Amino acid sequence: MNPYLTGSVRYAREALRIQGNPHGTESFLMSVSARYATGHGLPGAIDGGVLITTRRMDAVRIDPGARIARVAAGVRWGQVVEAAAPHGLAPLNGSAPGVGAVSYTLGGGLGILAREFGWTADHVRSLDVVTADGALRQATAASDPELYGGLLGGGRGLGVVTALEVGLVPVARLYGGAIAFDGAVTDPAAVLRTYAEWTATLPDAVTSSLAALVHPDLPVLPPHLRGRYVLSVRVAFTGDAAEGERLVAPLRAIGPALADSLREMPYTESHTIHSDPDFPHAYWGDGIMVSELDVAAATSVLELTGPKAGRMAVVQLSHLGGALARKRPNSVPYREAGFLVRALYPLGDDGTEAVRALHARVEAALAPRTLGRAVNFAFGDGQRGEGLYDPETRKRLTGLKANLDPANLFRRY
C-alpha cells in the first residue's frame, strides 16, 4: 500500500463498514476525496461539530475589465485558472488545482507567484459571509473593515464565507518547472546550501521552494523516483524564458539531475510545477514560519526527515519575502518571515504519536528563528491554536470573535 494512502484507506474502510458501500475501498476513497475534501490533507475528526458541504456552490464569474473573479464557496482553483485564462489573466492560486479557493484564501493563500504579488488574501475585494446571528453580510475594506480584515488570514470561527471577489493578475504564461536531484548521488547539504545562496540573489518575480522526501518503491511512480531520496527545486518566474534560463543556471550546476522540467508554459499548466497528488491524503503536519533560513538547522531537518527517519516525511522550504512582506489591512501574520518550512507525515496504523515526536525534533532544530505557525499548513490538528498568530493579531481576532459570536457557535480562537 502506498504510504500516502494508508491512513486515507483506513478512513475509507471505516466508512465502508458503516455505509455498506458496494465498491472497492480505493474507488470509494477517490469518491469521498473528490466530493468533500478540497485541500492537500483529509480533515480530522469534528466530534460534536457540523460538516457543511459547499460542493454545489461551484460558480465562477470573471470580470476581465476589472480583473476580478467572483468565486463561490465550493470552487476549486483549477476552475478559476481555466475561466481566467481566455482573458490573459490568472488567479493567485496554490500549487494544486483541486484545492478549494475560498478556504485557501481565508488562511492567507501562499501561491506559486506569491513573492511577486503577495498573499492571495491581499487581493480580495469583498466577502459574502453568514455570521452567527444568521445574517448574510458583505464585507469590504470600506464597508466593514473589522470583519473584512478578520476573515482574511483569520477566517476560522467568524462565520461561513459563501463567496468572495478576488483580484486577478495579467499573467498568461510563465517560465517554471522543477529540477530534481538524487540524494544518494548529490549531497543533500550541498543542494540546500546552493538553494539558500541562490534565493538571496533573486528578483521578486521568482517564487520557489525546495522539497525533500523518500519516495516509496511503487510501480505507480515514475521509475526515476521509485525508492529514492529526492530533492526538488520548484520555480515559477513571470519573466521571459531566456532570463529564466539564466536565473536557474546555478541550480543546474549543482550536479546531475534526475529530472528537469524547467520550461516556458501557459499558465494553465502551472500545476505541473509541483505535480502534487490530485486527491487529499491522511497527513499530520505543520508549517513553521522562520525569520531566515539557517542552513545548519535546515540540514538537521533534512537529516531528521530523510532516509534514516524510519517513516515517510515530506519537507518543503518555501522562499518568502518580496510582496509577501508588505503590510495589508488583514490578519495574515508573520509577514517578516523569510521562509516557511512545511513538514508533512503520511499516517499509518501507528497513528500520530510517532510523527508528533519526530516533528518535535524538527521544531527544536528551527526554534531559534521560529516566528510562528502557518494557518494554511496545519494538517490534522485543527484544535492546536498556539502560534498561529502573533499576540497583537490574536488579541484583535479574539475581540472580534466575542462581538460576532459570543455563544461560540463557530470554532473558538
Side-chain angles (χ1 to χ4, degrees):
M1 180 65 65
N2 186 334
Y4 275 98
L5 297 177
T6 303
S8 305
V9 170
R10 288 179 64 210
Y11 161 75
R13 284 176 178 150
E14 180 64 11
L16 285 168
R17 183 185 67 78
I18 295 172
Q19 299 183 21
N21 190 290
H23 304 293
T25 299
E26 283 75 11
S27 65
F28 177 73
L29 169 63
M30 301 299 180
S31 174
V32 169
S33 297
R35 291 177 63 193
Y36 298 112
T38 59
H40 293 279
L42 291 169
I46 53 168
D47 294 341
V50 176
L51 175 65
I52 300 173
T53 175
T54 60
R55 63 189 176 91
R56 290 185 295 177
M57 302 171 70
D58 60 356
V60 178
R61 187 170 73 240
I62 305 297
D63 182 339
R67 294 180 182 172
I68 292 175
R70 180 172 174 81
V71 179
V75 169
R76 302 170 190 240
W77 275 125
Q79 298 168 254
V80 189
V81 171
E82 292 295 332
H87 307 288
L89 299 171
L92 296 176
N93 56 287
S95 59
V99 168
V102 170
S103 55
Y104 162 100
T105 304
L106 296 181
L110 181 64
I112 57 174
L113 303 179
R115 277 177 39 82
E116 182 170 2
F117 296 106
W119 301 92
T120 306
D122 298 344
H123 295 260
V124 171
R125 310 294 180 85
S126 68
L127 306 102
D128 293 350
V129 56
V130 179
T131 46
D133 57 2
L136 175 60
R137 309 185 187 197
Q138 185 177 76
T140 70
S143 68
D144 196 338
E146 288 191 355
L147 180 56
Y148 171 87
L151 288 168
L152 295 171
R156 298 190 305 172
L158 297 178
V160 178
V161 174
T162 60
L164 56 77
E165 292 186 340
V166 62
L168 304 171
V169 295
V171 175
R173 45 146 303 282
L174 53 76
Y175 175 89
I179 182 168
F181 303 94
D182 185 344
V185 175
T186 305
D187 181 12
V191 177
L192 176 60
R193 185 170 54 252
T194 300
Y195 177 69
E197 294 170 352
W198 180 69
T199 55
T201 69
L202 294 176
D204 292 352
V206 178
T207 302
S208 70
S209 62
L210 168 65
L213 73 153
V214 179
H215 288 274
D217 188 4
L218 293 171
V220 296
L221 293 176
H224 70 277
L225 297 180
R226 295 176 194 168
R228 286 191 168 95
Y229 182 46
V230 178
L231 297 98
S232 302
V233 180
R234 293 86 166 265
V235 178
F237 171 55
T238 55
D240 64 55
E243 179 63 6
E245 288 285 302
R246 186 191 70 79
L247 287 168
V248 302
L251 301 177
R252 288 185 166 139
I254 291 174
L258 275 176
D260 185 341
S261 64
L262 291 162
R263 68 196 188 281
E264 187 171 35
M265 66 179 75
Y267 194 80
T268 51
E269 295 179 10
S270 61
H271 63 279
T272 65
I273 295 173
H274 288 245
S275 294
D276 289 335
D278 60 1
F279 63 95
H281 299 91
Y283 292 121
W284 188 94
D286 216 342
I288 304 172
M289 305 289 276
V290 296
S291 57
E292 60 184 348
L293 187 63
D294 181 309
V295 174
T299 300
S300 296
V301 170
L302 295 188
E303 291 172 350
L304 287 167
T305 57
K308 296 179 181 179
R311 67 176 309 114
M312 189 174 183
V314 183
V315 171
Q316 179 170 302
L317 314 177
S318 297
H319 183 208
L320 306 180
L324 293 165
R326 298 172 190 159
K327 292 291 185 182
R328 291 291 187 270
N330 58 42
S331 298
V332 178
Y334 309 123
R335 289 177 179 265
E336 69 273 29
F339 282 83
L340 165 65
V341 182
R342 296 168 54 187
L344 300 177
Y345 311 90
L347 296 177
D349 292 332
D350 55 352
T352 64
E353 185 175 348
V355 300
R356 288 171 184 269
L358 174 56
H359 188 71
R361 298 173 69 190
V362 170
E363 288 182 320
L366 299 170
R369 289 174 173 78
T370 294
L371 300 172
R373 300 167 58 221
V375 174
N376 276 141
F377 304 107
F379 291 95
D381 199 2
Q383 301 304 312
R384 183 186 170 204
E386 67 271 17
L388 291 178
Y389 302 99
D390 59 89
E392 181 181 345
T393 301
R394 175 172 286 278
K395 180 179 179 181
R396 186 175 70 253
L397 290 173
T398 301
L400 186 58
K401 169 74 170 177
N403 290 332
L404 287 173
D405 186 15
N408 195 31
L409 178 66
F410 302 117
R411 179 181 296 171
R412 186 185 301 277
Y413 286 97

